Amino acid sequence: MSDVSTALGVRLYPDLVELGGLASALALTATRLQLDAGRISAPEQGRGRFTCAWLTSERGTVTVRLGSQARYFMVDLATDGGTRACGDTIDLDQVVRVAAAWRDGTSLADLTARFRFVDHVSADPVAETA
């Protein structure tokens, strides 16, 4: 069994195993959807290199992690001031759409209205007016 298979679990994430991990899957999804979700990176070592990814832009970072007991994607939107919103979804396309909208300046209020799985965590006056 490969490192990626062991880290991801073939049963929950066979598509991500085939693509080499979460970061690769996010990049391919963004390309397929023709969206700019920011610079995509992952930890360089350990299990996290397959199970965690960051989508970084001037606005902040969208961190994506995988559920371990069930298939879902945990999403956290953050600025230098801390986490602003978070949520879980089973749809990788929605993760990329949220990241692209965040990168493009969509307000937290609009994000939570448009993407029902995203919950507003804390107010950031800069993010709200951007």
Side-chain angles (χ1 to χ4, degrees):
M1 193 176 264
S2 71
D3 287 348
V4 69
S5 296
T6 301
L8 294 175
V10 176
R11 183 179 59 81
L12 292 177
Y13 301 100
D15 52 334
L16 274 61
V17 169
E18 186 175 312
L19 296 173
L22 178 59
S24 297
L26 288 165
L28 289 169
T29 301
T31 299
R32 179 176 49 80
L33 295 174
Q34 299 181 349
L35 293 172
D36 184 350
R39 188 178 69 253
I40 301 171
S41 59
E44 292 183 19
Q45 298 179 358
R47 183 177 186 271
R49 70 184 189 260
F50 306 117
T51 64
C52 181
W54 301 289
L55 299 96
T56 308
S57 68
E58 290 180 11
R59 181 136 187 240
T61 302
V62 177
T63 301
V64 184
R65 295 180 321 270
L66 301 178
S68 61
Q69 302 300 315
R71 183 187 169 96
Y72 63 94
F73 304 96
M74 298 174 279
V75 179
D76 294 303
L77 288 76
T79 63
D80 289 339
T83 299
R84 300 297 172 215
C86 61
D88 301 334
T89 181
I90 61 170
D91 187 347
L92 192 61
D93 287 5
Q94 289 294 81
V95 172
V96 170
R97 287 185 175 104
V98 163
W102 174 249
R103 183 194 160 284
D104 288 342
T106 302
S107 72
L108 289 172
D110 288 345
L111 277 175
T112 56
R114 182 171 161 197
F115 301 99
R116 295 292 184 187
F117 70 92
V118 176
D119 294 318
H120 188 138
V121 175
S122 63
D124 178 354
V126 175
E128 287 297 330
T129 60

